[in-house]
Every structure is written in C-alpha cells, then in structure tokens.
Amino acid sequence: MSRTVGPHTADPCPRCFVEAVRPGEPVTVGGRDVVGYHCDHCAHAWTRPVEDDLDVYDVVRVDLPNATLYGAVWQVDADRIQVRGAGGEWLRWVERWRVIVY
C-alpha cells in the first residue's frame, strides 16, 4: 500500500517493505522499456514495465519530480500521455514512462 509523503506518493520496496519516494528512471532491459527503481535501505533494485496498453479514461498516477498527480488519461501518443485532473482542474502532457495505471 502506498502512502502520501508531502506532494509525493511513497511506495514500499518489494524486498524490505520500507516505504520511500522513488521517482524511478527509464531504462531498457532485454529490448523492453521499463522503469528502474532502487531502495536506499536494502540496495534492492527492481523494474516495472512502461504502460503500453493505455486507453482514454483510464485512471492513472503520474510520478513527476515535484509531485505525484492522479487523474484520467485524456489523450494517448506514442511517447506521451495527456492526463486530466479531477473535475478538469488541470490538463498536462507527461512522458509515458511516468504513468502508472490505477
């Protein structure tokens, strides 16, 4: 379970379960685009695939350097996604690797 830490969402490490804000980095593993993470507590490294099956209106989380945003997919391009905040408060293009389907 994730929890909020300031403007970010903290996620647990899959090995030691210590929650921390981990922004991730885009990398390629075995020819596939993934997001790499690292736990400073136990030094465990893991990846998650970049979302490639996004549809308009999917509920998503967006991990940005300055905040974690939640919203709905509004438009889908090859390398970026337009996300709309609740009630249309904001509309923002983000890199696809930063998006996590909820």
Side-chain angles (χ1 to χ4, degrees), residues 2 8 11 13 27 29 32 34-36 55 65 67 80 89 93 97:
S2 302
H8 293 280
D11 294 310
C13 168
V27 295
V29 176
R32 184 172 166 100
V34 298
V35 180
D55 292 315
R80 65 187 187 147
E89 288 182 31
W93 284 101
W97 70 266

Side-chain angles (χ1 to χ4, degrees), residues 52-76:
D52 60 0
D53 187 25
L54 290 167
D55 292 315
V56 173
Y57 305 123
D58 281 348
V59 176
V60 295
R61 167 179 145 181
V62 181
D63 288 331
L64 299 172
N66 57 344
T68 301
L69 303 176
Y70 295 86
V73 173
W74 210 242
Q75 291 186 57
V76 179

Side-chain angles (χ1 to χ4, degrees), residues 22-25 35-39 44-48 63 97 100:
R22 298 179 182 91
E25 293 182 17
V35 180
Y37 297 94
H38 179 264
C39 178
H44 179 60
W46 68 98
T47 62
R48 69 165 175 83
D63 288 331
W97 70 266
I100 300 171

